[in-house]
Amino acid sequence: MVLPRSFYEGEDILEISKSLLGKKLCSDIGGQFTSGIIVETEAYKAPEDKASHAFGNKVTPRTVTMFSPPGTGYIYIIYGMYHLFNVITGPEGTAHCILIRAVEPLDGQDVMLERRGKPSMIKAVTNGPGKFSIAMGMHKKYDATDLTISSDIWIETGWPELSEEEILVGPRVGMSTAEECSNWPYRFRVKGNKWTSKPDKVWYDL
DNA sequence: ACCGCGATGCAT
DNA sequence: TGCATCGCGGTA
């Protein structure tokens, strides 16, 4: 079942970030169907979050998508070559968004390997925001896609709801200019899942 | 294992 | 100018 808009519109972005773990992210791009279970997420809580593109509710040509209704996809380019995929959440008008950082591959694994130029799934294919976005065909041209009605990119129910014991939390990465926000525990992952991005030492139980 | 760095486009 | 990144080649 495709997740309805009500899934995305709650006030608590951290709860939604955790609820997205275990959901099934699907894409049908270039005539190729791929899907994967979301196993790592990262929350960006505008307007007070200095790490958010929409810090201070700043509206630019890039960030305007972030003010779209909850359940909208936000795709932007980082380092000139990676099309990172995010989900807009929160009450309409808030610019909260959640970066999808890793998925466990399900359908279309042959397509993912071809897009990534890798021989097998044991080589890191979807364990990072840039990597899984390539594997699933994410592209800036799909920015502002309505994930509740799109036939290009959508999110379905997947695993049963995870318990808190199955989730680890840690600080976000790449926070060089976010000052006090850089230590916020806004990054979530499925405990023990081998498809998450490279482990580090800062994870702890909820 | 870890570290440094280049690729490459676009927002500011 | 500096990224919400990745893969490579160096050193160990």
Side-chain angles (χ1 to χ4, degrees), chain A residues 43-121:
Chain A
Y44 288 83
K45 193 178 190 304
E48 65 268 39
D49 184 351
K50 290 182 179 175
S52 171
H53 294 157
F55 172 61
N57 281 332
K58 180 175 53 180
V59 181
T60 68
R62 178 172 69 160
T63 65
V64 67
T65 301
M66 300 178 76
F67 297 88
S68 300
T72 300
Y74 168 48
I75 301 178
Y76 73 94
I77 297 177
I78 188 69
Y79 298 110
M81 59 187 82
Y82 298 107
H83 299 243
L84 302 199
F85 176 75
N86 306 251
V87 181
I88 303 305
T89 66
E92 181 152 6
T94 62
H96 301 159
C97 90
I98 298 170
L99 171 68
I100 308 303
R101 293 193 55 88
V103 304
E104 174 174 327
L106 290 181
D107 303 289
Q109 296 189 17
D110 52 337
V111 178
M112 296 188 190
L113 291 177
E114 185 177 345
R115 286 174 175 155
R116 293 280 289 114
K118 298 289 182 184
S120 73
M121 275 298 168

Side-chain angles (χ1 to χ4, degrees), chain A residues 171-188:
Chain A
R172 297 173 294 184
V173 287
M175 296 286 108
S176 56
T177 61
E179 301 172 18
E180 73 275 13
C181 308
S182 58
N183 294 319
W184 289 358
Y186 276 19
R187 186 182 182 191
F188 302 94

